[in-house]
Amino acid sequence: MTRRRFIRISGAAAGLGLALGAGFARPGRTSPLFHEWRGVALGADASLRIYHPDAAEAGRLITDALSEVHRLERVFSLYDEASALSRLNREGELADPPQELVELLATSARYARATGGAFDPTVQPLWALYAKHFGMADADPNGPSPVDVRGAVAKCGYQRVTVDAGKVAFGLPGMALTLNGIAQGYITDRVAELLRARGVTHTLVDIGETRALDAHPVGRPWSIGIKDPRAEGRLLATLAVDNQAVATSGGYGTEFDAAGRFNHIFDPATGLCANRYLSVSVVAPTATCADALSTAFSVMPIDRASSALTDAGAMRAYFVLPDGHVVDRSA
């Protein structure tokens, strides 16, 4: 199974959630000022494209940015058994938690309230249930039993997590957190803030989510395409982004079964998988906000999600319906 995130800003990467529009200058071609790194962060492909006249300084900036990414991975990763999040999930509580974990859990609770609980980082028991079920050779293609789903839902609930500077603790046995619906946005913002503090402008940061620092160097907004999950290389819409962030969520990012009926985005209220839309894209001031809302909106009716845009401080949302039609809503 692949990671939940499938967002990129490279038009050459087919089948992904976002594509950078034409006109992006690449090193050695139309501009010597863009310096690029590609790799993996939090288990997902990531990239940095820095607009800077000094190649040596650009290299130092990329090194510093990657150090920040790796530092934060040691806080939020579900794959690193020594991470703060992994230790919390194993033990049910964590004394003296990292400040970033406290901050992101408080932010998660704010977006949970803004979306009426549709965004909830405590859905990890549902992930564990579906992954275990479909990992069996004789798995029922109809998914886990309703009894098992209800049992996992009973272990969810962001209100049951106590968070303060001294300790994070779960209110029930068997609870567990996943920050995969917001951590990549948070890390993207932290890298963007690091670069901004060092004087970087006219740059795109993609650490699982995409954030633009200012406009494109030629003076126009960046062009970000919403890709069609059903057709490789086809764009359904193009967004103009200037000093904003974009995130996309969709069930096809990780599917548990070959038929694609069950995926990694869960409705915390029912324990069922999100199948309302092919994908949801959100434009917001920060990647943290866009990340959380694109996850939450995947399980929300359009009208309810639209009303949450203003509450959460986002600008626009794009809902790709099963027939490929795009519904655009603004705050």
Side-chain angles (χ1 to χ4, degrees):
M1 287 185 254
T2 60
R3 275 293 295 256
R4 66 175 294 277
R5 283 301 173 200
F6 45 88
I7 297 171
R8 307 293 183 272
I9 50 178
S10 169
L16 303 171
L18 297 180
L20 188 65
F24 186 84
R26 287 175 169 78
R29 296 182 62 188
T30 58
S31 169
L33 302 180
F34 277 107
H35 310 273
E36 182 177 47
W37 168 87
R38 289 177 180 270
V40 175
L42 280 174
D45 290 342
S47 66
L48 290 174
R49 294 173 177 85
I50 295 178
Y51 180 75
H52 201 285
D54 185 331
E57 177 62 14
R60 287 189 288 270
L61 288 166
I62 289 173
T63 297
D64 291 347
L66 295 182
S67 294
E68 178 70 353
V69 170
H70 297 323
R71 185 182 72 83
L72 292 171
E73 280 188 307
R74 292 192 291 271
V75 177
F76 302 127
S77 176
L78 285 172
Y79 300 90
D80 180 355
E81 293 185 357
S83 74
L85 183 61
S86 293
R87 288 186 285 122
L88 171 61
N89 284 345
R90 278 198 308 272
E91 299 166 12
E93 64 178 35
L94 184 66
D96 299 319
Q99 180 270 332
E100 293 85 0
L101 180 61
V102 172
E103 179 180 70
L104 191 52
L105 289 178
T107 301
S108 295
R110 179 162 64 87
Y111 290 123
R113 291 189 294 270
T115 60
F119 178 78
D120 192 330
T122 65
V123 295
Q124 184 63 14
L126 286 164
W127 167 272
L129 172 65
Y130 280 83
K132 179 179 178 181
H133 175 85
F134 285 104
M136 297 186 296
D138 58 347
D140 183 345
N142 294 312
S145 72
V147 171
D148 288 342
V149 171
R150 287 195 296 271
V153 168
K155 298 174 184 176
C156 300
Y158 71 94
Q159 308 94 326
R160 295 167 172 165
V161 182
T162 301
V163 182
D164 59 46
K167 186 170 73 171
V168 178
F170 298 145
L172 289 175
M175 291 187 72
L177 285 166
T178 172
L179 293 170
N180 286 356
I182 192 171
Q184 282 137 324
Y186 178 82
I187 294 176
T188 297
D189 286 332
R190 292 295 293 260
V191 169
E193 290 158 8
L194 182 155
L195 295 175
R196 175 78 82 188
R198 299 273 290 273
V200 173
T201 58
H202 307 299
T203 289
L204 280 171
V205 179
D206 173 24
I207 309 296
E209 311 302 351
T210 303
R211 181 167 169 180
L213 296 179
D214 306 309
H216 190 284
V218 301
R220 60 168 173 79
W222 298 93
S223 296
I224 303 292
I226 299 176
K227 302 195 80 172
D228 188 343
R230 307 162 306 167
E232 185 174 310
R234 181 183 174 214
L235 295 181
L236 295 174
T238 301
L239 318 182
V241 178
D242 183 343
N243 211 32
Q244 296 167 322
V246 183
T248 293
S249 291
Y252 67 89
T254 299
E255 294 175 337
F256 290 104
D257 63 322
R261 295 170 56 200
F262 300 93
N263 61 69
H264 66 286
I265 303 177
F266 305 105
D267 185 337
T270 65
L272 302 180
C273 300
N275 289 297
R276 289 179 180 272
Y277 316 109
L278 293 179
S279 68
V280 178
S281 297
V282 174
V283 180
T286 68
T288 306
C289 178
D291 195 3
L293 294 188
S294 68
T295 302
F297 289 177
S298 295
V299 300
M300 298 171 68
I302 290 176
D303 289 345
R304 187 174 146 219
S306 299
S307 65
L309 275 171
T310 301
D311 293 340
M315 289 89 167
R316 304 190 78 88
Y318 300 82
F319 303 84
V320 180
L321 304 182
D323 63 0
H325 179 65
V326 180
V327 178
D328 174 2
R329 290 289 186 268
S330 61

